[in-house]
């Protein structure tokens, strides 16, 4: 079977062999630069709620010059999720790859935090305070440590057992940082240079009073309209506000919709991360707070997925499957 006649199935293990989190950060930064040039475009995120907190998601993107278009879809349920990223040749429509995307999703979600922290946090940021200890939590810590000289990580989760276990997990991750399990969210973020919120909170877990001047805040967890992680008073102190996808934030972020509503002039203060990357200016000296909000976007998945696909092909990873062959539909019940 030639590669032209096959689709490459890349497993979770193959993804992890192919790329690391620092690789994902660099790949995503490149993808954001392409977006700023008008060469990468997001498909607007679609989102469906059912049952008690169950959600169906689909996102996608295309990259000019790479001849690829991709979509990722997953259903988040109480029993878990099985995300898949599909990459097609944008000229022929042939399916190039199916990528099992849980590890990839963790890396792309963390990578956007890494890129935002690289361009929005103080260069000398040494203390990270993170609220949340779920499935995305460890890679979020690692992403900030990858782009800033973090010496101490403070962690908080409302569940004390989970908090203790997560602190030990971070200590064992080889990040070379001091790890402190904080007793409260306020203690976790007190005097922190970078704060990351990665929770499923439905009411804010912190507000402006808990954040000292010079802090950069990453708000990563509230990606659907019923969730909310930070108070409205945070906006009043922000010198810079960045988002991964402005369209998704406008439709799906409770925090931003409450703040800006339908005021087009007010929304001008909110800038895509791709624009901040393209400018290359970094954080303004003396800025009070900076805020980054991530909802998830197709360019993130496609940029990191492409990096995994290229490296998998170079290393001979994955399984070749026959490309789908068209068959005419059966029009009657008779065989």
């Amino acid at each position: 079977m030639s590669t032209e006649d096959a689709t490459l199935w890349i497993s979770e293990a193959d993804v992890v062999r192919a790329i690391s989190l620092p690789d994902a950060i660099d790949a995503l930064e490149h993808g954001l630069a392409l977006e700023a040039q008008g060469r990468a475009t997001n498909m607007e995120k679609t989102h469906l709620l059912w049952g008690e907190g169950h959600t169906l998601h689909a996102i996608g993107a295309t990259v000019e010059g790479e001849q690829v278009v991709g979509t990722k879809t997953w259903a988040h349920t109480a029993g878990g999720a099985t995300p898949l990223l599909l990459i097609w040749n944008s000229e022929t429509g042939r399916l190039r790859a199916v990528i099992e995307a849980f590890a990839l999703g963790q890396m792309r979600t963390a990578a956007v935090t890494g890129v935002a922290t690289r361009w929005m946090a103080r260069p000398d940021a040494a203390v990270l305070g993170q609220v949340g200890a779920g499935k995305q939590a460890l890679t979020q810590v690692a992403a900030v440590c990858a782009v800033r000289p973090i010496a101490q990580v403070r962690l908080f989760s409302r569940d004390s057992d989970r908090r203790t276990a997560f602190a030990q997990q971070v200590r064992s991750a080889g990040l070379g940082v001091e790890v402190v399990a904080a007793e409260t969210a306020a203690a976790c973020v007190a005097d922190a240079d970078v704060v990351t919120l990665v929770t499923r909170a439905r009411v804010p877990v912190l507000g402006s009073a808990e954040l000292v001047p010079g802090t950069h805040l990453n708000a990563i967890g509230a990606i659907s309209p019923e969730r909310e992680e930070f108070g409205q008073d945070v906006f009043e102190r922000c010198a810079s506000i960045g988002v991964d996808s402005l369209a998704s934030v406008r439709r799906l972020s409770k925090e931003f919709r409450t703040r800006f509503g339908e005021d087009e002039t007010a929304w001008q203060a909110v800038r895509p991360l791709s624009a901040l990357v393209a400018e290359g200016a970094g954080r303004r000296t003396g800025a009070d707070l900076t805020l980054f909000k991530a909802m998830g976007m197709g360019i993130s998945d496609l940029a990191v997925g492409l990096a995994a696909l290229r490296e998998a092909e170079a290393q001979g990873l994955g399984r070749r499957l026959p490309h789908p062959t068209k068959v005419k539909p059966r029009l009657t019940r008779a065989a």
Side-chain angles (χ1 to χ4, degrees):
M1 186 191 315
S2 69
T3 56
E4 291 78 13
D5 297 326
T7 296
L8 188 61
W9 186 286
I10 302 174
S11 71
E12 292 284 341
D14 294 328
V15 170
V16 172
R17 291 188 190 99
I19 60 170
S20 67
L21 179 54
D23 297 327
I25 293 172
D26 292 341
L28 178 50
E29 187 166 282
H30 176 66
L32 290 168
L34 294 178
E35 182 188 16
Q37 297 167 17
R39 295 174 56 201
T41 306
N42 279 305
M43 178 182 81
E44 191 166 316
K45 183 177 182 179
T46 59
H47 174 262
L48 174 68
L49 290 170
W50 82 95
E52 183 61 33
H54 293 180
T55 50
L56 177 66
H57 303 263
I59 53 180
T62 183
V63 179
E64 294 179 15
E66 300 285 352
Q67 291 190 333
V68 292
V69 61
T71 59
K72 189 180 83 171
T73 188
W74 72 103
H76 182 91
T77 73
T82 307
L84 293 174
L85 172 66
L86 282 70
I87 299 179
W88 291 271
N89 181 306
S90 60
E91 301 298 322
T92 67
R94 292 186 67 83
L95 183 61
R96 284 188 59 184
V98 178
I99 304 178
E100 297 176 10
F102 188 77
L104 185 142
Q106 287 180 304
M107 284 194 282
R108 78 84 150 120
T109 302
V112 77
T113 299
V115 175
T117 302
R118 178 181 280 168
W119 289 103
M120 300 183 76
R122 297 200 323 268
D124 62 349
V127 177
L128 166 65
Q130 179 166 301
V131 180
K135 295 176 181 178
Q136 299 283 353
L138 182 58
T139 48
Q140 289 292 324
V141 171
V144 174
C145 291
V147 299
R148 284 295 181 267
I150 300 298
Q152 184 186 80
V153 174
R154 301 194 203 120
L155 308 168
F156 174 73
S157 171
R158 290 180 301 172
D159 186 313
S160 61
D161 291 339
R162 174 176 285 187
R163 181 168 69 236
T164 300
F166 182 52
Q168 186 54 48
Q169 188 180 16
V170 176
R171 291 187 188 102
S172 302
L175 300 175
V177 295
E178 178 190 6
V179 180
V180 177
E183 294 296 320
T184 65
C188 177
V189 306
D191 301 322
D193 304 308
V194 179
V195 171
T196 299
L197 305 178
V198 55
T199 77
R200 296 179 64 80
R202 292 175 181 251
V203 295
V205 298
L206 60 80
S208 171
E210 286 78 44
L211 301 172
V212 296
T215 299
H216 170 63
L217 173 62
N218 296 306
I220 306 301
I223 62 170
S224 52
E226 77 280 5
R227 303 189 208 168
E228 188 175 16
E229 293 187 298
F230 62 89
Q232 290 293 301
D233 54 359
V234 168
F235 286 109
E236 298 167 8
R237 293 176 53 196
C238 287
S240 178
I241 302 172
V243 299
D244 60 348
S245 168
L246 184 57
S248 290
V249 166
R250 291 191 65 154
R251 286 193 307 113
L252 298 172
S253 169
K254 182 176 181 180
E255 297 123 335
F256 278 71
R257 287 177 61 83
T258 300
R259 176 67 178 183
F260 299 107
E262 301 301 325
D263 187 340
E264 296 298 328
T265 300
W267 276 104
Q268 292 176 13
V270 183
R271 306 195 62 207
L273 181 57
S274 58
L276 301 179
V277 169
E279 290 173 1
R283 185 187 183 92
R284 191 179 75 233
T285 301
D288 185 359
L289 300 183
T290 52
L291 168 65
F292 174 68
K293 176 68 179 179
M295 301 297 291
M297 63 175 182
I299 288 173
S300 296
D301 288 287
L302 188 55
V304 177
L306 267 177
L309 173 57
R310 292 193 188 103
E311 192 57 31
E313 290 177 330
Q315 294 185 35
L317 302 173
R319 290 187 297 132
R320 293 285 175 185
L321 303 177
H323 192 275
T325 301
K326 294 179 182 178
V327 177
K328 291 182 179 180
R330 186 156 56 90
L331 303 181
T332 68
R333 288 196 176 101

